[in-house]
């Protein structure tokens, strides 16, 4: 063990051998780009557990993916109900405006999901909240459309 005290002062001390076994494997150095999307839910849970046990700080991406897998089915139901509400509205101008409004709402939802995912990845928002906020906001929008859109 070398100890430096200033630019020229150095001491050398010999210590007995130490075991430096690390819990690392060659597969740990492989690329993990978009890995979370390819794992099944049990594999994802095991991967998150391994990352936490190793003390990694980059679990936000994987936790976000896990929670989004639970929130997307709910979001599909909410967006379908919004589509039904918009299509049930009677209009003499035709269905073009209704279709356009449906597309705009779908694009706004996608942008909102991407924004909340990015906020979860940088740590500004908890992954659980980030996964459910878009669905909850669009649930409120759907309820407002149901209440105020003429039938």
């Amino acid at each position: 063990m070398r100890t430096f005290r200033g630019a020229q002062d150095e001491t050398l001390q010999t210590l007995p051998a130490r075991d430096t076994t690390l819990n690392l494997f060659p597969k740990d150095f492989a690329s993990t780009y978009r890995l979370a999307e390819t794992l099944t839910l049990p594999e994802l849970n095991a991967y998150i557990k391994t990352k936490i046990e190793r003390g990694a700080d980059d679990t936000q991406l994987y936790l976000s993916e896990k929670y989004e897998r639970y929130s997307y089915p709910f979001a599909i139901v909410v967006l379908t109900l919004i589509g039904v509400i918009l299509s049930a509205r009677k209009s003499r101008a035709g269905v073009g405006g209704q279709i356009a409004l449906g597309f705009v709402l779908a694009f706004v939802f996608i942008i909102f999901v991407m924004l909340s995912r990015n906020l979860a990845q940088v740590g500004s928002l908890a992954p659980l909240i980030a996964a459910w906020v878009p669905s909850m906001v669009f649930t409120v929008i759907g309820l407002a459309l149901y209440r105020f859109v003429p039938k």
Side-chain angles (χ1 to χ4, degrees), residues 44-54 59:
L44 184 61
N45 287 333
Y47 189 74
I48 291 170
K49 183 180 175 190
T50 303
K51 295 280 266 184
I52 290 172
E53 287 174 352
R54 290 183 179 172
T59 58

Side-chain angles (χ1 to χ4, degrees), residues 20-99:
T20 57
T21 304
L22 299 175
N23 189 15
L24 290 174
F25 303 98
K27 67 177 181 170
D28 294 332
F29 296 103
S31 174
T32 59
Y33 178 69
R34 297 178 71 127
L35 175 68
E37 297 173 6
T38 63
L39 299 174
T40 63
L41 193 56
E43 291 172 339
L44 184 61
N45 287 333
Y47 189 74
I48 291 170
K49 183 180 175 190
T50 303
K51 295 280 266 184
I52 290 172
E53 287 174 352
R54 290 183 179 172
D57 293 334
D58 61 342
T59 58
Q60 303 294 339
L61 171 71
Y62 303 105
L63 288 171
S64 180
E65 175 69 26
K66 175 184 172 181
Y67 296 134
E68 284 175 5
R69 290 183 185 188
Y70 290 109
S71 69
Y72 280 160
F74 182 76
I76 290 169
V77 170
V78 168
L79 290 174
T80 301
L81 290 176
I82 288 174
V84 168
I85 291 168
L86 290 177
S87 68
R89 190 178 88 184
K90 301 289 183 195
S91 173
R92 292 191 332 183
V95 295
Q98 295 170 342
I99 292 173

Side-chain angles (χ1 to χ4, degrees), residues 60-61 64 68 115-128 130-131:
Q60 303 294 339
L61 171 71
S64 180
E68 284 175 5
L115 176 69
S116 66
R117 181 184 300 158
N118 287 338
L119 287 175
Q121 288 175 3
V122 297
S124 325
L125 194 60
L128 180 64

